[in-house]
Amino acid sequence: MQPLIDTELWLARKRRALARPVEGVDFLMRRAAEDLADRLDAVERRFGKAAALFCQTSAAADVLARSGKVGEIVRVEMDEAFLAGGPGLVVPPETVPFEEGSLDLVVSLLSLHAMNDIPGVLAQIRRALRPDGLFLGALAGAGTLAELRESMLAAETELHGGASPRILPFTDVRDAGALLQRAGLALPVADVETVAVRYDTLFDLAGDLRAMGETSALLDRSRRPAGRRLFARAAEIYAERFSDPDGRIRASFSIVWMSGWAPDASQQKPLKPGSAKVSLKAVLENPPRR
């Protein structure tokens, strides 16, 4: 598989962001943690051992602990800085360090989009889950920063006669469902939630992205310096195309949620083709009377 993302650069930018914290820029992580709590609340069962895998902060582990549904929680991160001195395991990127069938629950928040081999990571998660174990994951999806992408491409094409990729390619919700199936997870579900955030200018958005450690880490990113002139023109285009009546601009963040279960004989299975006792045609031609 040809790598797209410079993982070491992504980690370096994350470390820098953690070392220079900016209040409020964790709004996406807080939103994902709240959604995780809601999704976990809807599952009526307890989990013996869970892993909070590549979640960057303690937010996911805190949700698991507060749920009262998890016995043991293990945090796993790609860098010591993410653990902030707390307990957990530090492993190489894209590594799931658990024996086969040793976990009942795996959660991952807002890091999978920075993996070069998402199918491989999901396959490792599937292997680590016990039968009927659950995976819940959230990653940045297609549509994230679409306005910024369009504005930067238009500005660079206008000023330099061509454009280079500057924003990560993100996974579509349909592809996410296919990835779950490919990994061998049963009852796969993928859905998407779009969060719209407003800023005064493109420069304010860029400041938040730097503070998140989420500026471009593409291996094939442009090596041409993105000077003030390029950003100034992109900011003008952004304001022209994506501003509200009050002059503030909109930025979209799409969060794709993935869930799937390790196969187990107790799970519901779809009926075999042709096994239905009533045809769809008969139902349509003879609807029930009210």
Side-chain angles (χ1 to χ4, degrees), residues 176-185 188:
L179 287 170
L180 291 167
Q181 290 181 312
R182 177 177 171 182
L185 289 161

Side-chain angles (χ1 to χ4, degrees), residues 181-255:
Q181 290 181 312
R182 177 177 171 182
L185 289 161
L187 308 175
V189 176
D191 60 272
V192 63
E193 178 184 10
T194 299
V195 179
V197 184
R198 302 205 312 151
Y199 291 91
D200 289 335
T201 69
L202 177 150
F203 297 101
D204 299 293
L205 167 60
D208 266 12
L209 293 175
R210 282 193 298 273
M212 293 177 188
E214 287 289 356
T215 50
S216 178
L218 285 169
L219 278 169
D220 195 28
R221 63 191 180 279
S222 174
R223 283 352 190 228
R224 180 193 298 127
R228 179 81 183 184
R229 182 166 171 248
L230 173 60
F231 276 110
R233 182 60 186 132
E236 291 173 351
I237 294 171
Y238 205 130
E240 291 165 4
R241 299 183 185 183
F242 304 109
S243 63
D244 290 330
D246 63 0
R248 303 191 78 200
I249 61 171
R250 303 181 304 278
S252 298
F253 296 89
S254 295
I255 301 177

Side-chain angles (χ1 to χ4, degrees), residues 29 32-33 36 53-56 59-60 107-112 137-138 257:
M29 182 61 73
L36 174 63
L53 185 69
F54 309 139
C55 297
Q56 305 175 46
V107 300
S108 182
L109 297 185
L110 302 183
S111 288
L112 286 175
W257 275 94

Side-chain angles (χ1 to χ4, degrees), residues 50-58 60-62 64 73-77 98 105-109:
L53 185 69
F54 309 139
C55 297
Q56 305 175 46
T57 76
S58 66
D62 293 342
L64 298 183
I73 303 166
V74 182
R75 284 191 61 193
V76 181
E77 300 291 357
F98 296 97
L105 172 66
V106 176
V107 300
S108 182
L109 297 185

Side-chain angles (χ1 to χ4, degrees), residues 2-80:
Q2 182 69 29
L4 296 174
I5 299 163
D6 186 337
T7 308
E8 289 305 317
L9 177 61
W10 183 81
L11 285 171
R13 288 177 173 167
K14 286 290 182 179
R15 286 192 295 268
R16 183 178 62 188
L18 287 171
R20 305 170 185 173
V22 176
E23 185 177 358
V25 298
D26 61 341
F27 60 90
L28 287 177
M29 182 61 73
R30 285 188 279 111
R31 180 67 168 265
E34 290 170 3
D35 288 348
L36 174 63
D38 291 340
R39 290 166 189 268
L40 195 60
D41 188 54
V43 180
E44 297 182 356
R45 61 170 291 183
R46 285 188 54 82
F47 302 92
K49 184 176 181 180
L53 185 69
F54 309 139
C55 297
Q56 305 175 46
T57 76
S58 66
D62 293 342
V63 167
L64 298 183
R66 287 195 300 267
S67 74
K69 294 183 174 183
V70 182
E72 180 186 355
I73 303 166
V74 182
R75 284 191 61 193
V76 181
E77 300 291 357
M78 292 181 283
D79 195 281
E80 191 76 38

